[in-house]
Amino acid sequence: MRFVSTRSGSAPAGFSEAILQGLAPDGGLFVPERFPTFGATELAELEARLDRLDAFAERVLRPFFAHDPLEEQLEEICGAAFDFPVPLVPVEAGTGLLELFHGPTLAFKDFGARFLAACLDRIAGRASGPGALTILVATSGDTGA
C-alpha cells in the first residue's frame, strides 16, 4: 500500500518510508491511498480473533503493510507491541467498555507508541542486534505519562 500527503504535493511513500519521514516533504500528513474493506467473511474472521489483540491487530493492519519491507514481520511487531491485556468489561446487556489503561504506562497511548517503536526498531535493523534506538516524544500532559 502507498501513503499520500494530505497536501497532495509529494510522491506516494511506502509504510516504512512514511514512518521514517514522519511528515510528507510538502508538510502534509501521510494517509493511505485507499482504506481496505472487510466483507462478511473477513468480519467473522476478525470477530474470532477478538480474544487476542495481537492477532486481531495483525489481521486489520495487514493491508497497510502490503509490499513493504516490514510486511513479513507484522505478526512479530504486533506480538511485541500488544502483549498486555485489553479487557472488554460488560457494562450492561449488549454494551461493554474497552479498558485501554493496562499497558506499561497505564495510558491509551501505549497502543500507538509501542506499535511505532516496534516498527522503528525493525526498520533500524535493531530487533536482533545490539544498540539502542532513541525515540523522542512529547505530550501535552493531559492524559498521563
Side-chain angles (χ1 to χ4, degrees):
M1 178 176 288
R2 306 296 290 170
F3 293 80
V4 296
S5 171
T6 54
R7 294 189 179 170
S8 304
S10 297
F15 182 85
S16 293
E17 185 182 354
I19 291 289
L20 284 174
Q21 287 184 28
L23 292 175
D26 64 5
L29 302 174
F30 281 113
V31 295
E33 276 184 321
R34 61 176 176 72
F35 284 92
T37 58
F38 295 99
T41 303
E42 290 93 0
L43 290 174
E45 179 188 322
L46 285 171
E47 186 177 4
R49 296 174 187 233
L50 285 175
D51 61 328
R52 285 198 37 226
L53 178 62
D54 60 333
F56 179 83
E58 185 271 329
R59 178 62 184 96
V60 170
L61 293 168
R62 174 105 7 231
F64 297 98
F65 281 72
H67 310 293
D68 189 81
L70 290 179
E71 183 176 18
E72 293 182 17
Q73 299 177 62
L74 180 58
E75 184 177 352
E76 180 184 314
I77 289 167
C78 290
F82 308 121
D83 65 349
F84 50 90
V86 186
L88 180 62
V89 179
V91 176
E92 58 185 53
T95 304
L97 180 66
L98 193 60
E99 292 184 346
L100 303 178
F101 56 84
H102 293 276
T105 70
L106 306 177
F108 71 91
K109 294 176 187 177
D110 286 327
F111 294 92
R114 288 173 58 89
F115 179 77
L116 178 62
C119 288
L120 287 171
D121 200 34
R122 281 145 186 88
I123 291 169
R126 299 176 191 273
S128 60
L133 177 66
T134 301
I135 303 170
L136 298 177
V137 298
T139 180
S140 62
D142 62 337
T143 57

